[in-house]
Amino acid sequence: MTILGFETSCDETAAAIVQDGRKVLSSVVASQIDAHAVFGGVVPEIAGRMHIQAIAGVYHETLVQANLTLDDIDAIAVTHAPGLVGALLVGLNFAKGLAYATGKPLIAVHHLRAHVAANYLSHATLEPPFLCLIASGGHTHIVHVQDYTSFAVIGKTRDDAAGEALDKTARMLGLPYPGGMHLDKLGENGNPNAFTFPRPKVDGVDFSFSGLKTAARNVIVNSQSSMCNEDFAASFQLAVANYLCDNTLRAAAELNCNRIVLAGGVCANSVLRAEMQRRCAAKQIELFMPELRWCGDNAAMVGAQAFYEHRAGNVAGKTLNALPNCPM
Ligand code: KG4
Ligand code: ZN
């Protein structure tokens, strides 16, 4: 089954064509980062407008790259939730228009389910069940993926997402938006043990990142520009990575689960990847991470998840709407 997927939940306009949930025939991403960077974060109105300008070109390009026409497509998929509603609506209405003009099925895909499915593109043999840590700019969840379309949220952040803590901390250091990637680079040769950060205390395997962010701010303000930014970046990332790993491994032990999967933009982080690899190897837990190109927002992961949604009979009707918030 050949699925054309769209993703416009935040600041990337993306389209991709994916076969049987696993094979990417083409993937095009138009990033808006430069337009938002001057504001230090995503401006929703600008995001919506730029999606409108880009989507037809991105759609066309993804067909050209796959050397296909619309006739070769079996179904149209789109991220419908969660995200910036004005951004989601652009992809949703474009996909709806294509589906109704051609009579092809329309498949609604939850953004976090799509992040999980990014792993199916990188690991041909990976199948549920597994435990997944989803860490992105807006979400931090530990999820028991029982089946391709059946999810149990075991823990989640009670305030900021991990990506938000990394981005805001990077901004305090004067790094460009989005800061996670720049913090990663800055810390490459830093000493990860130069600074210590408090461990947030939350029941169970839920997270809280706002205190860590404040602690980072206090260190920066109190240092009065005398600190080594490389050491700070390395130490802060290790604190975040340790926290994510601790809770994920605890949840895995409680569920007696020996297969862990990472998902979302933050799982591109080199410290998190290395730390999770080290810890999983020590406990003989199987670890899967998406290739770096599928960690951040893209439409190939939408096409991947859509295959399994369709197989489960989840086809959307004409009333499909965009939702800014929506449980997995
Ligand atoms: O999944 P994603 O692309 O978008 C959302 O759904 O939010 O995640 C974006 C987040 C941002 O916070 C960004 O700074 C972070 O992923 N990120 C990273 C890295 N690359 C992207 N964080 C740490 N290290 C990276 N290498
Ligand atoms: Zn995302």
Side-chain angles (χ1 to χ4, degrees):
M1 181 173 202
T2 305
I3 298 182
L4 167 63
F6 291 97
E7 153 63 38
T8 63
S9 69
C10 191
D11 59 347
E12 263 95 25
T13 317
I17 299 172
V18 180
Q19 209 165 42
D20 298 334
R22 299 278 172 166
K23 187 173 177 209
V24 183
L25 302 185
S26 66
S27 171
V28 179
V29 180
S31 171
Q32 305 176 357
I33 282 179
D34 293 346
H36 299 291
V38 287
F39 300 100
V42 176
V43 182
E45 290 78 6
I46 294 177
R49 227 174 297 142
M50 290 188 75
H51 284 310
I52 292 171
Q53 289 164 351
I55 194 153
V58 167
Y59 156 67
H60 188 69
E61 180 63 22
T62 208
L63 283 173
V64 169
Q65 279 190 14
N67 200 18
L68 296 176
T69 71
L70 195 50
D71 289 343
D72 302 311
I73 302 298
D74 299 312
I76 315 284
V78 63
T79 309
H80 73 112
L84 302 171
V85 78
L88 287 165
L89 280 168
V90 178
L92 184 84
N93 284 313
F94 196 88
K96 252 188 185 179
L98 279 179
Y100 294 129
T102 57
K104 297 179 196 290
L106 177 69
I107 304 164
V109 176
H110 189 287
H111 186 63
L112 297 186
R113 291 188 178 201
H115 271 303
V116 175
N119 284 280
Y120 306 139
L121 303 172
S122 297
H123 307 289
T125 57
L126 176 66
E127 286 184 13
F130 51 77
L131 188 73
C132 186
L133 168 69
I134 309 171
S136 72
H139 298 87
T140 305
H141 280 27
I142 295 174
V143 179
H144 187 208
V145 181
Q146 294 150 335
D147 197 353
Y148 289 102
T149 56
S150 172
F151 304 82
V153 178
I154 307 296
K156 62 179 177 180
T157 184
R158 300 200 178 171
D159 41 54
D160 298 341
E164 194 177 338
L166 290 164
D167 290 348
K168 296 265 165 69
T169 301
R171 188 174 170 178
M172 291 184 241
L173 292 177
L175 298 173
Y177 173 85
M181 185 177 76
H182 299 284
L183 204 63
D184 198 346
K185 254 204 144 31
L186 181 66
E188 257 169 17
N189 299 312
N191 172 8
N193 301 310
F195 297 88
T196 52
F197 293 92
R199 168 57 56 97
K201 285 198 173 58
V202 186
D203 293 342
V205 292
D206 275 355
F207 294 101
S208 164
F209 285 98
S210 66
L212 260 181
K213 197 177 65 183
T214 307
R217 184 178 183 278
N218 289 342
V219 172
I220 293 168
V221 170
N222 294 336
S223 75
Q224 295 173 333
S225 14
S226 65
M227 74 175 192
C228 170
N229 283 0
E230 286 80 1
D231 288 353
F232 175 87
S235 304
F236 185 70
Q237 287 177 95
L238 184 62
V240 171
N242 273 333
Y243 190 25
L244 292 170
C245 290
D246 285 353
N247 280 14
T248 307
L249 286 159
R250 223 172 92 203
E254 280 165 16
L255 288 169
N256 209 6
C257 180
N258 62 1
R259 192 185 292 163
I260 289 177
V261 172
L262 302 191
V266 174
C267 78
N269 185 259
S270 63
V271 181
L272 175 62
R273 290 173 89 92
E275 199 54 31
M276 198 62 106
Q277 243 157 352
R278 189 181 66 74
R279 299 231 209 153
C280 285
K283 287 191 159 23
Q284 268 121 40
I285 290 175
E286 240 187 321
L287 174 66
F288 296 87
M289 303 184 278
E291 295 157 74
L292 292 182
R293 63 184 168 148
W294 306 132
C295 288
D297 290 346
N298 65 82
M301 65 188 194
V302 177
Q305 180 61 21
F307 173 76
Y308 296 102
E309 297 289 349
H310 184 265
R311 205 173 69 172
N314 299 334
V315 174
K318 287 189 176 122
T319 55
L320 179 67
N321 204 354
L323 300 170
N325 298 300
C326 177
M328 271 184 95

